[in-house]
């Protein structure tokens, strides 16, 4: 199977690392795809750099990686987890991509009607960024990292980048009609960090002739159900669905 002309750009989530995409990256590389998993600006491991970073910086890093991959491949599929999915949708609004796959991606972080917020302080992020640039965050529940491994900034909410993400997600949501590339949307049916309604928002607002949605379930209740890309119950299925999507775009199989 010759798929050397297709590149897959894998974008990690907010405050995370490319590690989040490692299982998916391995599956795509094994199938012959050219894969890039860039570290987004501010996510290199320096909390001070992250505190200074904003959505525009992350998008600029994603665009730089897209340009580099486009120089190597005839077509590129943009794939993102959580904030990385928001970035993938933003790329598709500004650039020509072969397809977009989002995993647990938000186009809103909180809302009043119907009410949803993983943390009520999200509603006050605009004010808090001036008063409290950093807030203590609760530690993950014991055992949750064994079920859904993760690497990134923990223990602190950085309110400036968080507010930037919240505002930008709403902007990406308004721009969804500009997305015309095929879209694959994966989301946890009981995601407590990014509401599943985000999946329906994406699916219903894009202008893509081809739209595909899969709601994934997990049996355990210890985690938030958000880390689908590394979760023991879902990571193989996520990889299989994204691989099938990529193959369908380059004519080597899939639906």
């Amino acid at each position: 199977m010759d798929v050397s002309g297709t590149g897959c750009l894998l974008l990690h989530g907010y405050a995370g690392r490319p590690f989040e995409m490692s299982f998916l990256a391995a599956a795509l590389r094994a199938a012959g795809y050219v894969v890039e998993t860039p570290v987004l600006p501010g996510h290199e491991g320096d909390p001070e750099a992250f505190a200074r970073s904003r959505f525009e910086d992350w998008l600029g890093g994603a665009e730089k990686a897209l340009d580099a991959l486009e120089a190597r491949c005839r077509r590129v599929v943009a794939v993102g987890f959580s904030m990385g999915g928001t970035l993938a949708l933003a790329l598709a609004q500004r650039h020509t991509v072969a397809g977009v796959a989002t995993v647990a991606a938000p186009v809103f972080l909180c809302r009043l009607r119907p009410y949803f917020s993983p943390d009520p302080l999200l509603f006050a992020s605009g004010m808090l960024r001036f008063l409290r640039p950093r807030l203590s965050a609760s530690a993950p529940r014991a055992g949750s990292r064994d079920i859904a491994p993760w690497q990134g900034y923990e223990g602190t909410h950085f309110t400036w980048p968080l507010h930037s993400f919240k505002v930008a997600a709403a902007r990406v949501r308004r721009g969804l009609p500009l997305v015309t590339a095929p879209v694959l949307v994966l989301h946890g049916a009981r995601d407590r960090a990014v509401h599943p309604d985000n999946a329906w928002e994406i699916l219903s607002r894009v202008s893509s002739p081809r739209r595909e949605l899969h709601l994934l379930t997990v049996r355990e209740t210890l985690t938030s159900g958000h880390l689908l890309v590394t979760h023991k119950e879902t990571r193989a299925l996520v990889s299989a669905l994204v691989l099938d999507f990529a193959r369908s775009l380059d004519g080597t199989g899939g639906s």
Side-chain angles (χ1 to χ4, degrees), residues 16 20 39 111 117 132 135 140 142 146 148 158 182 192 200 208 250 253:
E20 296 169 348
V39 181
R111 67 184 181 190
S117 181
R132 299 284 301 276
L135 295 169
D146 294 329
F158 297 84
R192 296 194 297 275
W200 298 106
S208 311
D250 59 36

Side-chain angles (χ1 to χ4, degrees), residues 19-224:
F19 167 79
E20 296 169 348
M21 313 304 287
S22 58
F23 296 99
L24 176 56
L28 290 168
R29 288 190 178 111
Y33 289 91
V34 179
V35 178
E36 289 294 336
T37 58
V39 181
L40 297 172
H43 291 75
E44 300 89 347
D46 179 2
E48 298 302 323
F50 180 66
R52 295 190 299 269
S53 67
R54 305 289 184 267
F55 189 87
E56 290 72 19
D57 302 315
W58 313 327
L59 181 56
E63 288 183 315
K64 184 177 179 179
L66 176 63
D67 289 343
L69 197 52
E70 286 180 331
R72 301 170 56 195
C73 305
R74 291 192 299 271
R75 53 189 169 268
V76 174
V77 181
V79 185
F81 164 67
S82 196
M83 181 195 73
T86 313
L87 289 169
L89 291 167
L91 289 178
Q93 293 172 20
R94 301 165 60 145
H95 303 272
T96 300
V97 294
V100 181
T102 67
V103 185
V107 289
F108 68 85
L109 299 187
C110 57
R111 67 184 181 190
L112 289 172
R113 293 190 302 271
Y115 178 83
F116 171 77
S117 181
D119 188 330
L121 291 177
L122 266 173
F123 291 106
S125 63
M127 178 180 63
L128 282 173
R129 59 187 166 145
F130 297 106
L131 301 176
R132 299 284 301 276
R134 300 187 186 192
L135 295 169
S136 295
S138 58
R141 298 170 68 181
S144 63
R145 290 291 181 256
D146 294 329
I147 298 169
W150 187 79
Q151 296 176 4
Y153 300 113
E154 286 190 300
T156 303
H157 289 306
F158 297 84
T159 52
W160 275 94
L162 183 59
H163 180 72
S164 170
F165 182 20
K166 184 180 80 171
V167 172
R171 186 167 64 246
V172 171
R173 177 177 176 269
R174 292 192 295 271
L176 286 175
L178 297 174
V179 178
T180 59
V183 171
L184 170 68
V185 178
L186 309 180
H187 213 102
R190 297 181 180 178
D191 190 331
R192 296 194 297 275
V194 174
H195 198 284
D197 280 359
N198 278 277
W200 298 106
E201 287 283 346
I202 296 168
L203 204 72
S204 64
R205 289 177 176 268
V206 296
S207 299
S208 311
R210 177 183 169 186
R211 316 172 200 187
E212 184 177 344
L213 169 66
H214 295 267
L215 293 177
L216 310 185
T217 59
V218 296
R219 293 185 298 273
E220 56 83 21
T221 58
L222 185 62
T223 75
S224 67

